[in-house]
Amino acid sequence: MTHPGLDRARVRDATLRLALPLARRVGDSHLIDDPELLAAFGKDESHVPPATPDLVLKAQSEAHVIAALQLAAEYGVPVVPRGAGTGKSGGAIPIVGGLVLDTTALNQVLDVDRHNLLAVVQPGLITGDFQAHLEGLGLFYPPDPNSLETCTLGGNAAHNAGGPRAFKYGVTRNYVMATRTALMGGDVLATGTRTIKRAAGYDLTSLLVGSEGTLGVFTELTLRLVVQPTHLSTLLICMGDEPAAGRAIAQIIAAGLVPRVLEFMDGTLVQVLREEGVSAIAPGTGALILAEIDGTSETQVEADTLELAERCEDAGALQVLMARHGAEREQLWAARRLLSEAIKSRGKYKVSEDIVVPRAAADELLQGLRALNEKHSALVAAYGHAGDGNFHVNILWDDPDYRPDAVVDDVFALVWSLRGTITGEHGVGLSKKAYLPKEQSAPLIDAQRRIKHALDPLGLLNPAKIFAP
Ligand SMILES: Cc1cc2nc3c(=O)[nH]c(=O)nc-3n(C[C@H](O)[C@H](O)[C@H](O)COP(=O)(O)OP(=O)(O)OC[C@H]3O[C@@H](n4cnc5c(N)ncnc54)[C@H](O)[C@@H]3O)c2cc1C
């Protein structure tokens, strides 16, 4: 269902023909065609090899986005929407060349409506900047991907990004109330409403969120907000081993506690953190839990914090550290924040998967991963959002000739055996599209292809993503 002309040379040719009429509509200064500068728009934070686009438009307005999509349809040019390029599945890589539509200059907060607890933003706004803006107003936008200092809200919506706080607050999809979305050809859909409830027609807002830039380009997002919690406590809990950590997490959930963060780090990572000099780890620790409780009632936060600590002690905690204020809380977070970089010391090469299993299967998953460590010569280490069953499984090795494919296959087979899914946050993009048919049935994939065809009949918007040919 891709456009028949998506051959690399023909795409380049078509893009060069589009450049002049596009420059007339948007102005020369927003277009980039210098080969040295183009390369920066051909990669993201995945392991997918980069691919250089033929042209980049740094859109300054919705009208620029519309102009690009009208001309792209007319000239048969593929268009890849792009935010900050922090994606981890190759979603923003222009694999067949063509035009990259950079949305980072569309970075304004258009409205904050505190009575209705919502904000209207442009898609290129950096997530952390938006959160900082709201903080001064006593408001809160919970989704917190670990890349929040650099990634954009448009990229978050395209990938349905989550983060540590998803256990209590949910993921991006739970916050996108409405969008303005430009389709290939230039039509703009105003989807969703400013209301809490809606039942009119199909829920296209939810469909567009998580569609990885393959169905439309967000030009505006209306986001739900909550009131800023006023009280917070952070706990770092040292457990003797991974099964004990699993028991503690199960007891926390069974007790009806809803910490906003419930993160897990396995035994290998504990060792890495020790070597990095993290002092808060008790002797004998074989797994760590990081939890955070928030709320607007000090008494409730205090009570929940103590109960969470008790549940962990019942499950055999070796040490429970608690902090309620800025710098102390940051010290406890240090272990978690260090992880992504620290783990690189364990192998010259690394791939990282972001699988999800039903919460109650977390124990079995961790056991299975330990078995893979024995079976393969690569190191397999896991950390992540245990409260959601969403784990980042890191595969590390040193030998440049080693291929991790067999380990990845085994990790995914384990995940499917537990009725889980291959991605909870990073999307399919290019890196996982070969695996999608193993997770989803042919009719289900076919239904999604037909949706894609209905909204992008020429197959020009972010082509070759999600679905294998
Ligand atoms: C260190 C690090 C930590 C991370 N931690 C997390 C995490 O905790 N949770 C998580 O979910 N992800 C995480 N990520 C992945 C990544 O940051 C997210 O996927 C993020 O949402 C991507 O945003 P971006 O602006 O960089 O988008 P890009 O990488 O530029 O694009 C991602 C996808 O969105 C599409 N897109 C971008 N803008 C638009 C638009 N306006 N309209 C339509 N489609 C668009 C692109 O076509 C592409 O398919 C992490 C990445 C890094 C490098």
Side-chain angles (χ1 to χ4, degrees):
M1 251 178 234
T2 47
H3 191 275
L6 288 187
D7 155 79
R8 189 70 192 80
R10 289 178 66 176
V11 165
R12 182 167 168 68
D13 209 44
T15 313
L16 294 181
R17 282 189 284 114
L18 161 135
L20 192 59
L22 185 57
R24 278 198 210 107
R25 299 268 302 265
V26 304
D28 261 347
S29 58
H30 307 307
L31 287 171
I32 299 170
D33 60 1
D34 176 341
E36 279 186 30
L37 300 179
L38 286 175
F41 298 88
K43 56 188 180 186
D44 64 5
E45 293 290 332
S46 69
H47 301 277
V48 177
T52 308
D54 300 304
L55 188 67
V56 172
L57 167 61
K58 285 187 87 74
Q60 309 293 309
S61 63
E62 183 184 80
H64 283 188
V65 174
I66 293 170
L69 294 173
Q70 281 174 343
L71 290 167
E74 191 181 323
Y75 286 78
V77 170
V79 174
V80 178
R82 184 177 177 92
T86 68
K88 297 195 108 175
S89 59
I93 294 181
I95 186 82
V96 297
L99 176 73
V100 163
L101 188 44
D102 180 303
T103 55
T104 53
L106 298 172
N107 59 5
Q108 299 302 304
V109 178
L110 301 174
D111 183 22
V112 176
D113 177 346
R114 62 171 53 251
H115 297 296
N116 287 306
L117 286 175
L118 60 84
V120 183
V121 299
Q122 291 187 308
L125 182 62
I126 303 288
T127 310
D129 291 352
F130 178 50
Q131 289 173 338
H133 179 90
L134 293 173
E135 215 173 292
L137 303 172
L139 296 169
F140 188 44
Y141 175 71
D144 60 338
N146 284 317
S147 49
L148 63 84
E149 297 300 340
T150 47
C151 65
T152 67
L153 290 164
N156 294 173
H159 272 330
N160 188 24
R165 294 198 287 245
F167 180 57
K168 174 169 179 180
Y169 288 107
V171 294
T172 303
R173 183 174 280 119
N174 304 113
Y175 292 86
V176 181
M177 301 174 77
T179 77
R180 284 183 63 80
T181 303
L183 303 182
M184 179 53 70
D187 288 347
V188 175
L189 301 181
T191 73
T193 60
R194 284 183 159 226
T195 55
I196 292 293
K197 290 179 169 179
R198 57 176 184 266
Y202 295 152
D203 186 354
L204 289 194
T205 306
S206 290
L207 171 67
L208 291 165
V209 174
S211 64
E212 304 192 19
T214 62
L215 298 181
V217 182
F218 299 121
T219 58
E220 198 178 284
L221 298 166
T222 300
L223 301 173
R224 187 166 72 84
L225 307 176
V226 294
V227 173
Q228 181 82 36
T230 44
H231 296 88
L232 256 181
S233 70
T234 304
L235 300 97
L236 184 69
I237 302 133
C238 297
M239 304 299 302
D241 55 27
E242 293 166 16
R247 280 197 306 277
I249 289 165
Q251 289 194 24
I252 292 166
I253 294 171
L257 291 165
V258 190
R260 76 172 187 183
V261 167
L262 192 53
E263 297 278 297
F264 163 87
M265 292 158 256
D266 78 1
T268 308
L269 294 167
V270 169
Q271 189 53 32
V272 170
L273 291 172
R274 270 209 188 90
E275 287 163 18
E276 288 291 317
V278 174
S279 55
I281 302 176
T285 301
L288 284 169
I289 297 171
L290 179 76
E292 197 154 78
I293 306 255
D294 72 352
T296 46
S297 148
E298 186 172 7
T299 327
Q300 190 62 50
V301 169
E302 185 71 21
D304 287 353
T305 304
L306 293 177
E307 186 171 358
L308 192 143
E310 269 171 36
R311 298 290 161 183
C312 292
E313 275 156 7
D314 290 349
L318 305 176
Q319 172 180 285
V320 180
L321 297 175
M322 292 186 214
R324 287 180 182 78
H325 303 290
E328 286 174 354
R329 288 187 40 244
E330 267 315 302
Q331 268 183 353
L332 300 190
W333 268 97
R336 175 66 178 86
R337 295 207 201 284
L338 260 177
L339 266 187
S340 178
E341 277 307 305
I343 193 171
K344 290 183 184 158
S345 67
R346 283 308 173 103
K348 283 192 189 137
Y349 306 96
K350 174 182 105 146
V351 294
S352 174
E353 301 299 344
D354 80 309
I355 55 90
V356 197
V357 294
R359 284 198 287 222
D363 239 10
E364 268 180 273
L365 174 84
L366 295 171
Q367 271 177 40
L369 293 178
R370 276 198 298 276
L372 294 186
N373 253 320
E374 319 218 322
K375 177 175 170 192
H376 294 282
S377 53
L379 180 71
V380 181
Y383 66 92
H385 320 307
D388 310 322
N390 181 197
F391 292 88
H392 296 291
V393 178
N394 292 268
I395 302 165
L396 296 116
W397 69 99
D398 286 329
D399 177 356
D401 296 326
Y402 182 80
R403 291 283 160 267
D405 308 31
V407 193
V408 175
D409 287 351
D410 279 356
V411 170
F412 288 165
L414 172 64
V415 166
W416 291 320
S417 75
L418 299 170
R419 308 179 90 171
T421 174
I422 53 177
T423 174
E425 295 182 333
H426 298 162
V428 176
L430 290 169
S431 61
K432 294 190 192 76
K433 67 179 189 172
Y435 290 97
L436 195 66
K438 296 181 186 168
E439 176 165 319
Q440 297 189 345
S441 69
L444 181 56
I445 289 181
D446 188 48
Q448 292 172 83
R449 281 183 184 280
R450 280 184 277 138
I451 290 171
K452 162 77 175 163
H453 186 66
L455 293 181
D456 177 22
L458 298 175
L460 289 172
L461 193 58
N462 213 359
K465 305 290 161 65
I466 306 180
F467 308 109

